[in-house]
Amino acid sequence: MSAHASHAPNRSGLWDYLTTVDHKKIAILYLIAGGIFFLAGGLEALLIRLQLMYPEIELVGAKTFNELITMHGTTMIFLAVMPVIFALMNAIVPLQIGARDVAFPFVNALGFWLFFFGGVLLNTSWFLGGAPDAGWTSYTTLALNQYSGIGVDFYVLGLQIAGLGTLIGGINFLVTIINMRAPGMTFMRMPMFTWSSFITSGLILFAFPAITVGLVLLMFDRLFGGNFFNPDAGGNVVIWEHLFWIFGHPEVYILILPAFGIISEVVSTFSRKRLFGYSSMVFATALIGFLGFMVWAHHMFTTGLGAIANTLFGLATMLIAVPTGIKIFNWLLTMWGGQIRFPTANLFAVGFIPTFTIGGMTGVMLAVPPADYQYHDSYFVVAHFHYVIVGGLVFGLFAGLYYWWPKMFGKMLNETIGKWNFWTFFIGFHLTFFPQHFLGLMGMPRRVFTYLKDQNLDMGNFISTIGAFGMTIGTILFLINVVVAAKSSKRAPADPWDGRSLEWAIPSPPPEYNFVQTPLVRGLDALWVEKMAGNKGMTPAEPIGDIHMPSPSFLPFLMSLGLFVAGYGFIYHNYVVVVIGLLFTLGCMFTRSVKDDPGYHIHEDELEEKGVKA
Amino acid sequence: MKGWQQYWRQFSLFALLALVLTGCGKDELSALKPSGPVAAMQFDLMKLSSAIMIGVFIVVMTIFTYVLIRYRKRPGQQGIPKQVEGNHALEILWTVIPFLLLIIMAIPTVTTGFALHKEYPKEEAVQVKVTAHQFWWEFEYPDLGVATAQDLVLPVGKKVQFVLSASDVKHAFWIPALGGKIDTNPGQENKMWLQADKTGIYYGKCAELCGASHALMDFKVEVMEQADFDTWVANMKGVQAKEPATATSPLAAEGQQIFDKSCLGCHAVAGKGGKMGPNLTNFADRERVAGIKAHTPQNIAEWLKDPQKMKPGNKMPNLNLDDNQVKALVEYMGTLSVSEKK
Ligand code: HEM
Ligand SMILES: [Cu+2]
């Protein structure tokens, strides 16, 4: 056998997706998995809101309610928005930098399967003795054995496995963006979405180890009687809070920065203008990422850290408003003087601006520690973080999905349904979360399964639940839109929006090798530069030739499966199963190490024929 | 595009709805109706920061609205808009202005922050030791030698220095109308001071998820004139010094017997009994049963018959009492009073 197989492996359907290492297909896997978890988290949210529609009703019990808020929060943060971000990063970043693939395709697939199996493990808790019920923050001592059930073990192991996937995914993007940019694509010519993905990946690299360590300690406390967090045996409950938030605060920037990137792309494309203040945008993004690590204790103002610590962390938090403000004004000025169109993608981007501004404003208010003693753990906080993560991030993701859907799937989403999608979701969103600011100030703590009749909290809660129905309708319309698009026979053009960056230079959906010839980048907004110069497409940086591709592999799936099995072994204290699962994973790693896998080539004469099937 | 108009209509409608229909909440509960200096200082900071933020929002919305109307693409529009790279003067402007606004906020943040963290010795403030339990509150007055649970009794116009901790999981102590919250950490002590400037009843809450009945971990704060407070302390001490009052009726006597046998293991009355559950010395004077339900014989009976039903997950076992025993207990518990009021 020659060193290089000359034929592309012939795989199709499910088997293709189980073994793929193609970043575009992995993007689709992330999107599907994230979408499913999103629906689960949304269903949980709806049940939460129904239970709170009227005072003192008994729809779900107190314990189930706590399981619902815990699973809702955990699912939404770790298993819903995170993978959709990874979906867009996978689908778009290599294209935007003119790369044929990510740096480590095998690792990319492994990252997905770890995330997926971790998420599945966590969610099976519903059927195996109860979901975690200590809140998505799992504060000790409530999250210790003495006070909570087996659900928290699912939380610890599920998140550990999923977190490993995220960590290696992040590292992969760092290396990809540093090493795989096309000739001419300097850092200061990278599109904003790639920039924000880069900084987000950096944050993942530094933040996730903190939760990994925290989860290991919690696992020792719960499974092996360690006493790290048990005050009765000299443990310290506040340490968990620090570890959690040293990860948890950067995490919210990990989530929001890609949304900033998407908004920058969408607003500029649909204004037909280059991004205003590009270099200050890059600088602001980096600064936000940096400051994001400095402020974790603002989640702990009421923990009793003292006046000095609280004041310093409060002031540091306020500072983040400056780079964030720069971004908002730059977006406004990008639209200034442009020719603004309003397809659904831009509706979401434009709707993002005031909504996110409100979330940012309440953020600054929360950064005032003495006032936060009133806001903290009240519904005001629930309102604030939903304005940021739904009004900011989810709006951003919708904008990104409407914008890049044609590139990913070769089909356009329907604009009429899209507009209905936007308006129901947007109005429903504000109905749901705006009144919650007042509920909090009027004395409603968060995470309460009910509230008493005589407290004037009825009206706000009722409006809030009605709004949740609006968001549900919006989400269903999106799903309908996906089906309609899939059924339609019209193919999307390569460049439906008159785009500016490289991904629009190749067909929709892109062939598996992305670029037939690596493009030569001659400025910011590479494609736009060529359009302005009157060229039909990018200037190639290399002659046409055979393209080397990595071979698909079933190993990432199997490796993750091994850890998944070991996870159950830990949860049920069955160490035989633990050993079997870990050995299985190690065996796969061994196989991967010793087996020579040179990949394959796509020959010159086969080029152009292949397109990814969505 | 008439989208943004629709948005504004919605937005102002909800703001109005939420504000007008609820009138900023209930006096006893709302952080927007401060009844003491701590809550007032915090409210001032809220007003300052929201005023600045609303100012910023108005600027953003004005530019936003103008841009969306003025620069939307019109049919037949030709040419390509000017590709502006940026504008250093403008970019510096919107870096510097937020900085200045933040400084305006930072100054009172620092001063108030330190004011709220002062600690007052017993010469200047009533000292109260708070211990949070799943799902009830224990209040001790170490200098006065009395202890109570669920209903916190305070003198008006006087500083109260709290020392707070928890016996099991983390809780948070919050009386919105009097001031913001602080966590009660198991194994550690936190400090906070508050002051109530008006007599009356205030609602207190647990603000940190602490298990199934977190939502029901309410307590009441009864603020009274100094003289009444002194009387209350004297009465509490008087009762605690002696044996529980002898029951006044045969039914109550029967109740007392059951109580001594089945309840004293966990609940203290008049200086006798355990500390697993709330101290019941002044139970009949309370505002609420279990911190949440109206203080009526029916609710007491309901609690005794099935404590898990009213507060799921709490630590009081079901004692499997029959109706007669419950009736006797309710009668007896009605006598557990230190004040004249019944
Ligand atoms: C349909 C849309 C949604 C609705 C109606 C909704 C509603 C709620 C409600 C009522 C709570 C419980 C608040 C409490 O008592 O503490 C909650 C908590 C939470 N939500 Fe959402 N939510 C929605 C979407 C999202 C999304 C998209 C995310 C994140 C991307 C998210 C993240 C969270 C988090 C982190 C918590 C805290 C959970 C905890 O306290 O452990 N939510 N949500
Ligand atoms: Cu509590």
Side-chain angles (χ1 to χ4, degrees):
Chain A
M1 230 184 95
S2 74
H4 287 174
S6 58
H7 285 286
N10 217 347
R11 303 186 180 203
S12 61
L14 187 62
W15 184 240
D16 182 25
Y17 274 91
L18 292 180
T19 56
T20 186
V21 294
D22 178 355
H23 68 93
K24 297 175 288 296
K25 286 184 184 152
I26 291 174
I28 292 170
L29 287 173
Y30 267 119
L31 190 61
I32 294 172
I36 291 170
F37 288 127
F38 209 117
L39 294 181
L43 185 67
E44 283 149 7
L46 206 58
L47 288 172
I48 296 171
R49 272 317 330 161
L50 281 173
Q51 164 73 22
L52 294 173
M53 189 161 181
Y54 297 105
E56 299 180 53
I57 51 175
E58 284 169 37
L59 181 71
V60 299
K63 183 169 172 6
T64 312
F65 185 91
N66 288 350
E67 295 176 336
L68 285 172
I69 54 152
T70 304
M71 284 301 281
H72 165 72
T74 314
T75 303
M76 284 300 193
I77 298 278
F78 290 95
L79 309 178
V81 288
M82 201 77 184
V84 177
I85 290 170
F86 266 83
L88 291 177
M89 277 164 58
N90 263 299
I92 302 304
V93 167
L95 305 186
Q96 283 197 331
I97 60 174
R100 288 248 161 78
D101 207 332
V102 293
F104 309 114
F106 182 91
V107 172
N108 201 16
L110 180 60
F112 169 77
W113 290 111
L114 284 172
F115 145 74
F116 178 75
F117 277 112
V120 171
L121 180 88
L122 180 53
N123 272 278
T124 54
S125 62
W126 281 115
F127 315 102
L128 298 173
D133 57 358
W136 86 282
T137 51
S138 275
Y139 275 10
T140 53
T141 49
L142 184 60
L144 298 185
N145 270 333
Q146 299 90 304
Y147 302 103
S148 53
I150 194 168
V152 182
D153 293 327
F154 283 87
Y155 171 96
V156 170
L157 283 147
L159 290 190
Q160 192 67 283
I161 295 172
L164 287 176
T166 307
L167 182 57
I168 61 179
I171 293 172
N172 202 354
F173 275 101
L174 278 179
V175 180
T176 303
I177 295 171
I178 293 174
N179 280 340
M180 313 255 304
R181 283 166 292 130
M185 174 65 79
T186 61
F187 271 100
M188 290 314 277
R189 285 177 182 174
M190 280 183 347
M192 266 329 278
F193 180 66
T194 296
W195 253 115
S196 58
S197 300
F198 181 62
I199 293 177
T200 278
S201 304
L203 297 189
I204 289 176
L205 177 64
F206 290 109
F208 269 73
I211 186 105
T212 305
V213 169
L215 288 172
V216 167
L217 297 183
L218 186 55
M219 176 170 145
F220 270 74
D221 268 17
R222 290 191 55 93
L223 297 179
F224 310 122
N227 282 315
F228 296 105
F229 306 123
N230 179 3
D232 297 336
N236 185 320
V237 294
V238 178
I239 300 291
W240 166 263
E241 293 178 36
H242 282 294
L243 284 173
F244 185 87
W245 288 116
I246 286 173
F247 148 78
H249 194 76
E251 169 71 9
V252 305
Y253 292 91
I254 291 170
L255 299 178
I256 198 66
L257 289 180
F260 286 173
I262 295 169
I263 301 300
S264 301
E265 307 271 311
V266 172
V267 161
S268 123
T269 299
F270 293 111
S271 308
R272 280 193 110 195
K273 275 186 64 201
R274 64 173 283 172
L275 188 65
F276 188 90
Y278 170 83
S279 42
S280 68
M281 285 300 232
V282 171
F283 179 70
T285 310
L287 194 61
I288 293 172
F290 175 75
L291 287 174
F293 274 99
M294 302 293 142
V295 298
W296 76 92
H298 70 206
H299 295 271
M300 298 164 63
F301 284 154
T302 69
T303 303
L305 304 179
I308 297 176
N310 278 0
T311 307
L312 288 177
F313 276 103
L315 299 182
T317 305
M318 287 180 197
L319 280 184
I320 298 187
V322 176
T324 312
I326 293 178
K327 289 192 157 266
I328 289 177
F329 284 108
N330 278 345
W331 288 322
L332 292 176
L333 266 276
T334 303
M335 296 193 283
W336 191 291
Q339 297 167 359
I340 312 174
R341 288 171 291 157
F342 293 98
T344 311
N346 202 29
L347 277 184
F348 273 107
V350 164
F352 166 99
I353 292 175
T355 315
F356 181 78
T357 307
I358 295 177
M361 283 159 40
T362 51
V364 178
M365 292 169 68
L366 285 161
V368 178
D372 182 69
Y373 301 160
Q374 287 284 20
Y375 308 132
H376 181 75
D377 267 345
S378 79
Y379 255 77
F380 188 88
V381 171
V382 179
H384 157 72
F385 71 70
H386 283 91
Y387 263 82
V388 178
I389 34 193
V390 182
L393 177 59
V394 177
F395 280 21
L397 290 179
F398 269 126
L401 286 174
Y402 274 94
Y403 183 60
W404 281 313
W405 200 269
K407 185 52 62 188
M408 289 177 74
F409 294 98
K411 301 277 178 69
M412 307 285 288
L413 287 172
N414 180 298
E415 277 298 321
T416 315
I417 305 178
K419 299 229 154 104
W420 280 95
N421 174 186
F422 171 74
W423 284 111
T424 47
F425 197 83
F426 185 83
I427 295 172
F429 166 80
H430 285 282
L431 261 185
T432 309
F433 294 108
F434 196 70
Q436 293 183 0
H437 294 110
F438 295 94
L439 286 174
L441 298 176
M442 282 154 49
M444 181 160 159
R446 71 191 274 210
R447 296 168 164 177
V448 289
F449 77 88
T450 192
Y451 48 97
L452 304 179
K453 280 194 186 91
D454 52 0
Q455 304 184 128
N456 270 6
L457 301 174
D458 310 11
M459 174 61 81
N461 274 298
F462 182 76
I463 299 177
S464 184
T465 301
I466 298 301
F469 287 116
M471 298 175 74
T472 310
I473 295 172
T475 312
I476 293 173
L477 285 170
F478 179 74
L479 294 178
I480 294 177
N481 207 347
V482 169
V483 175
V484 170
K487 289 246 162 82
S488 96
S489 53
K490 237 178 88 197
R491 290 187 58 93
D495 181 16
W497 314 117
D498 191 8
R500 311 174 67 84
S501 40
L502 273 180
E503 72 269 30
W504 307 111
I506 51 176
S508 307
E512 60 176 303
Y513 43 80
N514 296 348
F515 296 86
V516 181
Q517 291 161 289
T518 301
L520 180 68
V521 174
R522 299 198 288 186
L524 178 67
D525 290 342
L527 180 60
W528 182 260
V529 169
E530 302 297 331
K531 283 183 190 172
M532 289 303 105
N535 299 333
K536 278 222 117 50
M538 300 301 299
T539 315
E542 59 175 10
I544 292 191
D546 291 358
I547 295 175
H548 178 242
M549 302 296 293
S551 13
S553 169
F554 195 38
L555 287 175
F557 182 95
L558 292 178
M559 281 183 192
S560 314
L561 185 69
L563 288 186
F564 179 70
V565 170
Y568 283 107
F570 277 119
I571 292 169
Y572 290 104
H573 300 264
N574 186 334
Y575 297 102
V576 178
V577 174
V578 170
V579 172
I580 294 176
L582 291 181
L583 280 181
F584 187 75
T585 298
L586 286 173
C588 293
M589 290 165 79
F590 183 75
T591 312
R592 163 75 181 165
S593 307
V594 296
K595 198 175 138 232
D596 186 28
D597 180 7
Y600 61 94
H601 278 93
I602 298 175
H603 279 296
E604 229 174 280
D605 45 315
E606 289 178 301
L607 296 177
E608 312 286 352
E609 290 163 19
K610 295 191 168 78
V612 275
K613 285 189 286 288
Chain B
M1 205 60 228
K2 67 170 184 31
W4 58 273
Q5 292 170 325
Q6 212 162 327
Y7 164 76
W8 260 113
R9 226 175 292 144
Q10 296 287 347
F11 185 80
S12 35
L13 184 70
F14 305 144
L16 279 179
L17 261 184
L19 275 169
V20 177
L21 291 174
T22 53
C24 292
K26 206 170 157 68
D27 286 13
E28 295 83 352
L29 178 62
S30 177
L32 302 172
K33 308 252 178 95
S35 295
V38 173
M41 280 189 256
Q42 292 169 332
F43 191 48
D44 287 344
L45 276 176
M46 289 183 199
K47 282 187 291 192
L48 174 72
S49 55
S50 41
I52 293 178
M53 288 301 132
I54 289 171
V56 172
F57 187 67
I58 290 172
V59 172
V60 170
M61 285 315 289
T62 311
I63 305 177
F64 181 77
T65 315
Y66 174 76
V67 164
L68 288 195
I69 298 173
R70 172 74 182 72
Y71 297 109
R72 69 192 191 286
K73 187 172 165 65
R74 300 198 173 72
Q77 201 168 26
Q78 295 293 313
I80 285 164
K82 190 160 162 254
Q83 304 290 308
V84 188
E85 187 181 334
N87 181 323
H88 284 302
L90 276 178
E91 287 165 49
I92 289 170
L93 185 74
W94 57 60
T95 310
V96 172
I97 292 181
F99 248 117
L100 297 178
L101 294 178
L102 289 186
I103 290 171
I104 299 179
M105 277 173 58
I107 294 165
T109 299
V110 175
T111 54
T112 316
F114 282 88
L116 294 188
H117 282 270
K118 268 223 181 92
E119 280 172 32
Y120 291 94
K122 70 178 181 196
E123 295 74 40
E124 291 172 54
V126 183
Q127 309 284 315
V128 179
K129 188 166 177 292
V130 178
T131 311
H133 306 263
Q134 275 179 329
F135 301 95
W136 60 280
W137 296 90
E138 178 186 346
F139 305 110
E140 279 177 72
Y141 302 71
D143 303 321
L144 308 176
V146 298
T148 176
Q150 303 291 31
D151 281 17
L152 172 64
V153 181
L154 298 178
V156 72
K158 191 138 189 238
K159 292 204 168 62
V160 185
Q161 176 69 52
F162 293 96
V163 178
L164 310 98
S165 184
S167 72
D168 37 43
V169 304
K170 196 177 160 94
H171 305 264
F173 177 83
W174 186 28
I175 311 165
L178 298 187
K181 62 191 75 65
I182 191 148
D183 296 356
T184 62
N185 299 322
Q188 298 176 10
E189 277 184 350
N190 273 334
K191 298 204 167 136
M192 170 171 77
W193 70 272
L194 291 177
Q195 176 178 326
D197 284 342
K198 285 179 231 157
T199 58
I201 305 278
Y202 298 95
Y203 294 5
K205 303 257 171 193
C206 173
E208 179 69 59
L209 180 65
C210 58
S213 280
H214 161 57
L216 303 176
M217 197 170 152
D218 288 4
F219 61 100
K220 295 287 173 293
V221 188
E222 197 178 347
V223 178
M224 44 178 72
E225 297 295 344
Q226 182 72 44
D228 296 336
F229 180 75
D230 293 339
T231 316
W232 178 78
V233 172
N235 287 344
M236 283 292 281
K237 268 177 130 151
V239 177
Q240 276 179 11
K242 49 182 203 258
E243 289 285 299
T246 19
T248 46
S249 69
L251 189 58
E254 197 189 323
Q256 185 170 14
Q257 266 178 11
I258 306 171
F259 191 90
D260 289 353
K261 194 163 92 332
S262 311
C263 318
L264 269 187
C266 295
H267 294 282
V269 169
K272 251 178 55 180
K275 281 189 73 174
M276 247 288 286
N279 185 314
L280 297 176
T281 308
N282 58 341
F283 176 78
D285 305 334
R286 296 245 179 97
E287 178 65 21
R288 293 289 159 120
V289 177
I292 43 172
K293 291 275 160 111
H295 201 283
T296 62
Q298 292 89 311
N299 280 337
I300 304 174
E302 203 187 305
W303 172 266
L304 291 175
K305 273 190 220 148
D306 187 359
Q308 294 304 319
K309 187 156 168 269
M310 208 181 276
K311 259 192 185 177
N314 86 82
K315 301 256 169 71
M316 173 159 160
N318 190 332
L319 299 162
N320 298 315
L321 303 162
D322 63 37
D323 284 349
N324 280 334
Q325 290 171 310
V326 168
K327 234 171 126 188
L329 275 170
V330 172
E331 179 77 12
Y332 169 66
M333 298 186 72
T335 67
L336 297 176
S337 165
V338 300
S339 73
E340 287 68 50
K341 83 163 189 224
K342 264 281 136 68

